[in-house]
Amino acid sequence: MAIDCQLAIGPEVARPARPHPVAPVAVAAALAAVLAACGPAPHATDAAGKSANDAALSADVVHSWTSGGELKAIAAVADAFNARGGAWHDAAVAGFDNAGALGINRMVGGEPPSAMAFVAGPALNDLADRGMLTPIGELTGQRDWPSRLPPALTAAVSRGGQPMAVPLNLHEQSLFFWSRAVLAKAGVAHVPANWPEFFAALDAVQAQGAIPLALGGQAWQESTLFNAVLGTVLGKSGYEKVYVSRDPVTILGPSFRQAVEIFGRLRRYVDANAPGRNWNDATQLVIADRAALLVMGDWALSEFTLAAKAPEVDFSCRVGLHDDLAIVGSDVMAFPRARTETARRAQHLLAEVMLDPQVQHEFARRLGPLPARLDAPVDDLHPCMRHAAGLMRGAATAVPTPYMTLPPDVLGEIDDVIGEFWSDPSMSSETMARRFADVLRTAT
Amino acid sequence: MRERLVEGLFIAPALVLTLVVFVGTMVWTVGLSFTSSRALPIGHWVGAAQYVRLWHNTRWTASVEDLAGYAFAYVLLSLVVGVLLAVLLDRQARFESAWRTVFFYPYAVSMVVAGLVWQWLLNPVVGLQSLFGDTGFAWLSNPRLAIYAVALAGSWQSAGLVMVIVLAALKGIDPEIRRAAALDGIPVWRTYVSLLLPQVRGALVAATLLLAMAAARVYDLVVAMTNGGPGNATELPAKFVMAYLFVRQNVGLASAAATMLLLAVALLLTIAWAARRAVGR
């Protein structure tokens, strides 16, 4: 209901006619309650607490892997945990943001989950700095695992040299998916590998009547596209100067401006129906050969697999336009401070299971990305990911996603700048670059 | 004395609830807005720094502008359509109660449903745009017009409420006045504009206040219809608060924004209170 009649029509109803003796007591009680609660009410069962009497080590895990394929993937971890004497209680929440809000609320309310999914990066910092997360070194005797990860990833999950979360996988977030049928119909013989070929191909597709670029008009998808363009134009060192060292000279320089202008040029290749479209609907446009190109993370691969599309026959995937630079992010598990010894033992077992290269491999095989551990096998992954693995695992050919380097509020403000520029063709690339630099400069 | 104690006991639960849930959390939120809280509601005192940052944030200023555009269009459109419907039904229309139900019905629909329905109607590919050819209905992909498309959907939902309030007030007017006006040969439109509508100004003020309050806290409609896009063309303050509270991990900034909203609503209530006194009811 949109309108609260009671509040607006009769405010005098709610007002007591004269002071009541009960009021001071109520005020004191109210203040005490507010001060004591210090956060939203906890809910759900404290599976870790209950397990004191259980033989099995019970653990509840907050995550947002809720689609069909994702559920199968996380089940690989749950099965391994249960097989080693644990009892997995799934606390899945639909929607990444919702899962994060629920997990943090439970931690603040004093009923923390055993483990909670995050993406690697500064989103963990606030919790880690307040001592609300258990350093992984306290949970497992394994000492060598941080050296078996890409160094940038180890750095992104560590505070003061201590890993605060277990990385589960590596996501590639700048894959170019080309529909071979649409390209062929437009007379484009091979997949574009530089900007002149790229624009010639999109023009040919447009002239032929198909959608050149399948885009979901949501902030994070527009940012994904922008970052892919930025990586292609600036290369590794330029990209890292923007998102890692936040160098204003680079951001206000000519290459960044060129990337912004190329991004702006892409507006004309998107159909009118894009605003608000979900990523999987955008993916379907390429799968159904109605659009030529999709720029998306590796999670889109599962949609192609589900539709029985053959790589390099029905579609081609490239890591960035030039197929030479990977933008890599990671899903991680953090372990909030537990209050009982049993709960800590459950977390110990969870951490061991999640660090196991075989478990990581199985999780990645079902979900789509790479395992986080460099010593986990990748032979039977999707051909597209086997190809990407070489770039993603090489220090000289991979850059971190902004999630790995920027705190969530700054990341959101960067999304805002990119989204505003995308929807406002009258904004100059100069204004965009200046606002982009301002956000990074004023951020703490 | 005993009577007062019993009275107090009856009121106590509601009073405690009001104080804890409404006043308590309000005070807490205002307090948080002066801290550097990020993911967790714990932080150092930073004075008005969050408010400075808030008013330098382009998404916030855009949200405030969008809300102004929305509120103006939504309140005006709902009032005009609602009053027109009320007047039409007041003319002893046939099947009056059936019409009343039809026009009031959208109000029974939640804002989320209203938003989805209008999102489909205004969809540039499968909506009105494709039905009537290129008739300029592609409002949702136009950053300048998108907020008015949202206001249109909101008014569709709320006009029925205005109609019911005004119609009830019109029915309460002494029929002698209409008869006298008809006898004097005053045209119908003149009778309404100069005689009848001024008599129901209390109802009009109440309806306007209801609409203004609804506009100030609109959230679900936008989330369902545009989710703030295209760009930030339909971002609203309430969405800003939710984003910084739950996604962008800046509780301090979110609290500052929430406090600004609280001030706006308090201002509205004060104006309404003054208006009601002026109208004399």
Side-chain angles (χ1 to χ4, degrees):
Chain A
M1 270 301 170
I3 294 177
D4 186 346
C5 303
Q6 184 62 49
L7 186 64
I9 293 181
E12 53 276 73
V13 179
R15 209 185 300 135
R18 56 183 186 275
H20 282 261
V22 70
V25 182
V27 170
L31 284 177
V34 167
L35 290 175
C38 265
H43 43 94
T45 52
D46 183 0
K50 263 192 318 200
S51 72
N53 304 322
D54 284 349
L57 289 170
S58 158
D60 63 328
V61 183
V62 172
H63 62 84
S64 58
W65 287 295
T66 48
S67 79
E70 289 172 340
L71 277 173
K72 270 189 206 143
I74 194 68
V77 183
D79 291 346
F81 179 67
N82 292 340
R84 296 187 203 177
W88 178 285
H89 293 267
D90 208 63
V93 181
F96 176 74
D97 299 336
N98 299 338
L102 173 94
I104 289 179
N105 277 355
R106 282 185 57 183
M107 287 166 73
V108 173
E111 301 273 346
S114 309
M116 181 177 166
F118 279 93
V119 292
L124 288 164
N125 288 359
D126 208 25
L127 298 172
D129 293 347
R130 304 263 174 209
M132 300 187 80
L133 300 180
T134 316
I136 307 305
E138 291 179 20
L139 285 177
T140 165
Q142 293 185 46
R143 286 286 171 267
D144 64 329
W145 65 269
S147 63
R148 304 291 166 91
L149 302 173
L153 181 54
T154 308
V157 297
S158 298
R159 292 298 273 173
Q162 287 246 53
M164 303 302 293
V166 171
L168 296 177
N169 55 31
L170 291 178
H171 274 299
E172 210 311 305
Q173 312 205 353
S174 62
L175 287 177
F176 282 49
F177 296 94
W178 295 93
S179 159
R180 294 304 289 259
V182 176
L183 285 185
K185 213 169 159 193
V188 181
H190 54 257
V191 173
N194 56 49
W195 289 119
E197 281 178 22
F198 177 87
F199 283 110
L202 292 196
D203 285 332
V205 169
Q206 194 155 45
Q208 189 266 325
I211 303 168
L213 176 60
L215 178 77
Q218 297 173 342
W220 71 270
Q221 296 186 60
E222 288 158 6
S223 295
T224 301
L225 178 63
F226 176 78
N227 292 333
V229 171
L230 192 72
T232 300
V233 175
L234 266 66
K236 179 176 163 79
S237 73
Y239 178 98
E240 287 185 340
K241 273 188 185 140
V242 173
Y243 279 128
V244 182
S245 46
R246 307 184 188 179
D247 171 32
V249 179
T250 307
I251 297 171
L252 298 172
S255 303
F256 187 90
R257 288 265 299 280
Q258 192 202 345
V260 175
E261 266 154 31
I262 288 177
F263 178 62
R265 247 177 102 179
L266 296 178
R267 291 184 191 112
R268 78 176 83 139
Y269 298 112
V270 169
D271 62 313
N273 212 8
R277 180 192 277 148
N278 288 320
W279 72 268
N280 43 343
D281 295 329
T283 308
Q284 286 304 325
L285 288 178
V286 175
I287 290 176
D289 295 327
R290 289 181 51 209
L293 171 66
L294 170 78
V295 178
M296 189 46 65
D298 55 27
W299 45 88
L301 265 179
S302 60
E303 301 278 321
F304 284 91
T305 308
L306 213 62
K309 292 286 175 180
E312 297 310 316
V313 177
D314 299 316
F315 73 102
S316 290
C317 65
R318 297 287 182 271
V319 186
L321 176 65
H322 298 150
D323 206 19
D324 64 355
L325 184 70
I327 300 179
V328 180
S330 171
D331 294 314
V332 303
M333 275 290 173
F335 300 85
R337 285 262 178 221
R339 287 184 301 185
T340 67
E341 187 49 38
T342 330
R344 268 188 290 277
R345 278 179 34 228
Q347 288 184 329
H348 171 88
L349 182 61
L350 261 183
E352 295 282 343
V353 166
M354 287 170 179
L355 280 169
D356 186 324
Q358 288 307 321
V359 174
Q360 289 213 345
H361 164 258
E362 188 55 26
F363 178 63
R365 197 182 63 77
R366 297 186 192 183
L367 190 64
L370 294 187
R373 288 186 70 130
L374 299 174
D375 52 357
V378 294
D379 313 329
D380 56 349
L381 299 186
H382 193 281
C384 188
M385 289 314 287
R386 283 208 306 270
H387 162 69
L391 297 169
M392 292 166 72
R393 290 176 158 190
T397 50
V399 292
T401 64
Y403 286 89
M404 294 246 265
T405 62
L406 302 179
D409 52 348
V410 180
L411 194 62
E413 280 157 28
I414 290 290
D415 280 352
D416 289 345
V417 174
I418 295 171
E420 270 177 67
F421 175 77
W422 179 262
S423 67
D424 178 8
S426 69
M427 193 193 286
S428 72
S429 60
E430 202 175 356
T431 310
M432 194 279 194
R434 193 168 37 72
R435 298 223 356 231
F436 197 101
D438 280 349
V439 169
L440 290 184
R441 186 173 47 79
T442 53
T444 45
Chain B
M1 190 59 212
R2 207 187 131 81
E3 211 172 89
R4 286 188 61 172
L5 189 69
V6 173
E7 234 175 73
L9 279 176
F10 271 116
I11 294 176
L15 201 61
V16 170
L17 206 68
T18 309
L19 283 172
V20 174
V21 176
F22 290 100
V23 183
T25 49
M26 258 183 229
V27 170
W28 199 46
T29 302
V30 174
L32 279 176
S33 75
F34 294 104
T35 69
S36 63
S37 305
R38 295 180 77 100
L40 305 171
I42 322 159
H44 309 292
W45 178 268
V46 292
Q50 299 285 17
Y51 290 89
V52 175
R53 187 173 166 196
L54 181 69
W55 286 101
H56 279 100
N57 184 310
T58 49
R59 172 155 159 173
W60 171 256
T61 47
S63 300
V64 172
E65 280 169 30
D66 292 342
L67 180 60
Y70 173 82
F72 179 77
Y74 164 78
V75 172
L76 193 71
L77 199 61
S78 302
L79 269 183
V80 169
V81 174
V83 169
L84 271 177
L85 288 175
V87 168
L88 287 177
L89 290 185
D90 187 47
R91 302 296 304 154
Q92 316 289 324
R94 268 201 207 187
F95 313 118
E96 185 198 310
S97 65
W99 288 119
R100 215 166 47 204
T101 310
V102 167
F103 293 131
F104 189 61
Y105 214 78
Y107 189 65
V109 166
S110 82
M111 277 289 191
V112 172
V113 176
L116 283 177
V117 167
W118 280 91
Q119 185 195 51
W120 290 333
L121 282 176
L122 295 176
N123 182 302
V125 175
V126 298
L128 295 173
Q129 172 89 341
S130 67
L131 195 63
F132 297 116
D134 193 5
T135 39
F137 275 112
W139 288 13
L140 286 183
S141 46
N142 182 332
R144 263 189 208 90
L145 292 176
I147 193 68
Y148 299 107
V150 178
L152 179 69
S155 309
W156 173 79
Q157 202 257 7
S158 305
L161 179 76
V162 177
M163 175 199 78
V164 169
I165 293 173
V166 175
L167 186 60
L170 283 173
K171 297 278 183 201
I173 295 175
D174 188 350
E176 286 302 319
I177 295 180
R178 292 162 201 261
R179 235 170 274 155
L183 220 57
D184 285 346
I186 301 175
V188 174
W189 68 269
R190 196 68 208 266
T191 312
Y192 275 98
V193 170
S194 304
L195 275 175
L196 299 179
L197 288 179
Q199 294 231 25
V200 299
R201 60 190 187 274
L204 289 174
V205 168
T208 310
L209 176 63
L210 284 176
L211 292 170
M213 300 279 291
R217 64 167 192 229
V218 63
Y219 172 75
D220 35 7
L221 180 64
V222 171
V223 169
M225 204 167 159
T226 63
N227 203 20
N232 60 13
T234 56
E235 284 296 344
L236 292 170
K239 269 199 81 218
F240 182 96
V241 174
M242 295 296 279
Y244 277 85
L245 211 47
F246 294 119
V247 182
R248 298 187 172 186
Q249 292 192 3
N250 200 317
V251 170
L253 191 65
S255 302
T259 305
M260 294 310 302
L261 266 185
L262 180 68
L263 283 179
V265 172
L267 189 71
L268 264 179
L269 282 176
T270 314
I271 293 172
W273 176 77
R276 284 162 66 93
R277 277 182 61 115
V279 167
R281 293 206 191 176

